Amino acid sequence: MRVGVLTGGGDCPGLNAVIRAVVRKGVQEYGYDFVGFRDGWRGPLEGVSVPLDIPAVRGILPRGGTILGSSRTNPLKQENGIARIRENLAAQEVDALIAIGGEDTLGVAARLTGEYGIPVVGVPKTIDNDLSATDYTFGFDTAVGIATEAIDRLHTTAESHMRVLVCEVMGRHAGWIAIHSGLAGGANVILIPEQRFDTEQVCTWVTSRFGASYAPIVVVAEGAMPKDGDMVLKDQSLDSFGHVRLSGVGEWLAKEIEKRTGKEARTTVLGHVQRGGTPSAFDRWLATRFGLHAIEAVRDGDFGKMVALRGTDIVRVPIEEATAKLKTVDPKLYDEVGVFFG
């Protein structure tokens, strides 16, 4: 058995832990050979690969990013994309493929295995934690930890200058990073994509915080939208999966707060800092377990499945189920944390 491995979409902490677990167990217990495809789906599309063996994965557990590289390549949008993938897999004698990625990467995997019979097992990866069918995705815990530490630091400079500090975090169309880090960091306002916000209400909360002689911290997800407007974007460019590049709402909101309240406001956009660096202990643990169970699924011939965390168990679910819809923040959870606003 020869198994291909790829990491697609945005990078995140824990990817290397998955690769390491897949290769270690696959070689030691099953005697499999491995090949790593470079830069997500671009690898099997163009036949770009590197050897994967135990020496290649030694020491990579604590490293962020991915030793295989990543990209947002969509082979379904490429001319003869499916045929080219088939040819390159056959040329390298690859019997099965493990695709590690988020909504887009696994969406391609679902099509390849469901419609074209290419044997694929999926592993859920995204800092946004927005994949259905799994309680958590690795990368999320590290991103929340980084955002929480940033918010802790913003409190001190906000108090020193008695100004509003708006912290924009990632998450695209799901507010999991915002609500987790905002609550953990003691933010006074948390704004998420699932709930359009009233800018005037935000200003009321800000004013209330100043009234208590404290400087307010506003945490806003990059996909949050005002009730009386549209999503704020820096540009309208699209990636190969048709997604716009989010960011800009934090800067827009800071200007609105300053204009409406007369209080000085500044913006911090955490951006790719949330994706980088060494993975947390939880993400190393989860990513490793995902990798171990993914190679077991390959051994069992259980293709078209994604490994998922349910409680403390790792289970297998159809990839289509995991990518059918986004997992978003429940309104009840958002209402629960609202007691801390203002």
Side-chain angles (χ1 to χ4, degrees):
M1 172 75 78
R2 194 161 201 242
V3 182
V5 182
L6 65 83
T7 54
D11 66 296
C12 83
L15 285 167
N16 288 323
V18 180
I19 298 168
R20 170 180 175 268
V22 164
V23 173
R24 285 285 298 272
K25 184 165 188 174
V27 172
Q28 292 174 194
E29 295 199 8
Y30 307 143
Y32 292 166
D33 292 325
F34 290 89
V35 58
F37 286 104
R38 291 287 307 173
D39 304 332
W41 287 114
R42 187 178 75 84
L45 186 68
E46 300 180 2
V48 183
S49 65
V50 294
L52 268 185
D53 53 17
I54 288 181
V57 301
R58 190 167 290 133
I60 68 173
L61 175 65
R63 285 173 56 182
T66 164
I67 62 169
L68 296 179
S70 190
S71 73
R72 298 190 185 278
T73 302
N74 183 355
L76 302 177
K77 295 287 184 69
Q78 302 289 324
E79 185 175 356
N80 300 319
I82 304 302
R84 290 161 61 189
I85 287 177
R86 282 188 186 281
E87 291 172 4
N88 287 319
L89 292 180
Q92 303 209 31
E93 300 180 330
V94 171
D95 303 296
L97 194 59
I98 294 177
I100 310 165
E103 174 195 6
D104 297 324
T105 301
L106 294 181
V108 171
R111 294 278 305 277
L112 291 182
T113 192
E115 297 179 25
Y116 303 102
I118 297 175
V120 184
V121 169
V123 176
K125 172 262 3 165
T126 169
I127 67 169
D128 301 338
N129 198 40
D130 60 358
L131 273 175
S132 297
T134 184
D135 291 348
Y136 287 99
T137 55
F138 69 88
F140 171 68
D141 184 72
T142 304
V144 168
I146 292 168
T148 301
E149 181 181 353
I151 294 166
D152 287 345
R153 292 174 182 273
L154 291 176
H155 273 291
T156 60
T157 187
E159 297 294 343
S160 297
H161 294 274
M162 287 305 288
R163 61 164 61 122
V164 185
L165 282 179
V166 178
C167 180
E168 181 183 299
V169 299
M170 284 182 166
R172 284 174 63 178
H173 305 298
W176 294 109
I177 294 177
I179 201 165
H180 276 249
S181 64
L183 182 63
N188 311 108
V189 182
I190 303 171
L191 306 175
I192 62 176
E194 294 86 344
Q195 301 276 341
R196 282 182 174 260
F197 62 87
D198 183 337
T199 308
E200 199 57 45
Q201 177 62 67
V202 172
C203 291
T204 299
W205 285 326
V206 164
T207 302
S208 171
R209 180 69 173 173
F210 277 119
S213 298
Y214 289 97
I217 301 292
V218 178
V219 173
V220 57
E222 61 188 358
M225 293 182 286
K227 285 183 177 179
D228 54 353
D230 299 318
M231 186 177 290
V232 181
L233 302 172
K234 283 190 173 181
D235 64 64
Q236 300 291 329
S237 60
L238 303 178
D239 64 20
S240 62
F241 289 93
H243 300 305
V244 293
R245 294 174 58 191
L246 299 182
S247 188
V249 65
E251 186 176 342
W252 176 87
L253 184 58
K255 290 178 180 178
E256 286 295 313
I257 290 172
E258 193 164 288
K259 180 173 67 178
R260 300 187 188 203
T261 67
K263 300 293 186 179
E264 186 180 10
R266 293 288 186 271
T267 307
T268 296
V269 180
L270 296 186
H272 289 83
V273 169
Q274 294 156 94
R275 291 193 179 282
T278 188
S280 67
F282 178 82
D283 280 341
R284 298 184 201 189
W285 174 86
L286 180 59
T288 297
R289 293 191 69 202
F290 277 162
L292 296 176
H293 284 261
I295 196 62
E296 283 185 5
V298 170
R299 177 203 60 185
D300 296 341
D302 198 5
F303 301 114
K305 298 293 181 62
M306 182 192 85
V307 292
L309 179 68
R310 297 279 179 85
T312 57
D313 296 327
I314 306 295
V315 300
R316 300 173 193 169
V317 299
I319 299 177
E320 294 93 334
E321 178 185 337
T323 57
K325 64 177 182 178
L326 290 179
K327 181 178 68 180
T328 54
V329 176
D330 190 315
K332 292 181 181 178
L333 178 59
Y334 188 67
D335 290 342
E336 186 179 298
V337 305
V339 67
F340 297 106
F341 296 178

